[in-house]
Amino acid sequence: MRDIATRLAQWHSESMPYALATVISVSGSAPRLPGAAMAVSADGEAVGSVSGGCVESAVYELCREVLSSRQCVRTSFGYHDDDAFAVGLTCGGVIEVFVSCAVPASFVDAVGCGESVATAQVLDESGAILMVGRLGGFGTTGFADLDAVLAEEALAMLDSGASGIRSVRCRPDLEVFVSSYASKPRLLIFGAVDYAGALARLGSFLGYRVTVCDARPVFATEARFPDADEVVVEWPHSYLARTEVDSRTVVCVLTHDAKFDVPLLKVALRLPVAFVGAMGSRRTHVDRLRRLREVGLEEVELARLRSPIGLDLGARTPEETAVAIAAEFVAVRRGGSAVPLVASSGPIHHDYTASPSVFA
């Protein structure tokens, strides 16, 4: 919902009714993950996507029906479903969709402004929904005991960034869908070079909160990096040691200067981040490893370093190099092989399986 929140907020301001379709589960090869959303307004406008185009027409009609009936609908589309095949879901997977009437404006505002929040929606005709975040929650299912249970589970799932269907023991026949809207993952770019500008643009496009850091104030300026969310003038290793990171954070070291690289990588390779990559030639990489061993890094720590950074795309320009770098950290974060699809077999879209959980 985050990618369509701006338009939903506009509909709320115009008092425009709408229906919201959300992917609540997928199996096999499916183009969108749970949480993907599509909305249809009362005047027929559609925003968002639940399948990358495969079943949009059918979901559009479902949204129109929900707008008319004011009753929520839960349905699925799959390769072996004749109706789903007819509307184009031929990728081999199955998606389950829940369509409800408009969510409260306060929910849309919280999601749209980038807050770290989670929603828990009851998967029945009511579509009752509540939202929780680290600063509190709002909304209700109409039952205080159920609200308390859902809020606790939703917060736990938000902490891990998970979304999925959950059952509730205190309501044996009830299922809910929890959707986590975590804050943007961070892309930390060290080295205020031309490559950093191109990577900042691409990182922002991919949905990262981008930071460019360099100790040289003449190069680390907002004017040179307009696509970065922040530009920091500080020694890279000092900044990295004090800033907030998590298991989604990507660290790209583009300085290829030992006096910056070695102390920075000494910090980076000991942090619980998703990706650490460094620019430089193969000869530079060998020398860098020697220097890192000299400052005490173990082989298991050095094995985390992706260097030379980027996939072999034959890149020449800063923009092409940025694509090569981003392709590598996307593959690492998503578990991709980085092998051309034409040279691989199996499903194009990796299977998504949420870990099982039952509410207490």
Side-chain angles (χ1 to χ4, degrees), residues 44 49 51 59 113 125 129-130 137 177 181 196 214 219 260 275 312 336:
S49 171
S51 69
V59 174
C113 73
E125 290 186 355
I129 187 170
L130 60 85
F177 176 70
Y181 301 94
D214 197 300
F219 296 113
F260 293 114
F275 178 96
D312 180 11

Side-chain angles (χ1 to χ4, degrees), residues 261-276:
D261 291 2
V262 173
L264 172 59
L265 289 170
K266 182 180 179 181
V267 175
L269 292 170
R270 290 173 172 171
L271 291 175
V273 296
F275 178 96
V276 180

Side-chain angles (χ1 to χ4, degrees), residues 315-331:
R316 291 288 184 178
T317 67
E319 290 75 18
E320 290 174 346
T321 302
V323 170
I325 293 171
E328 183 180 22
F329 67 65
V330 168

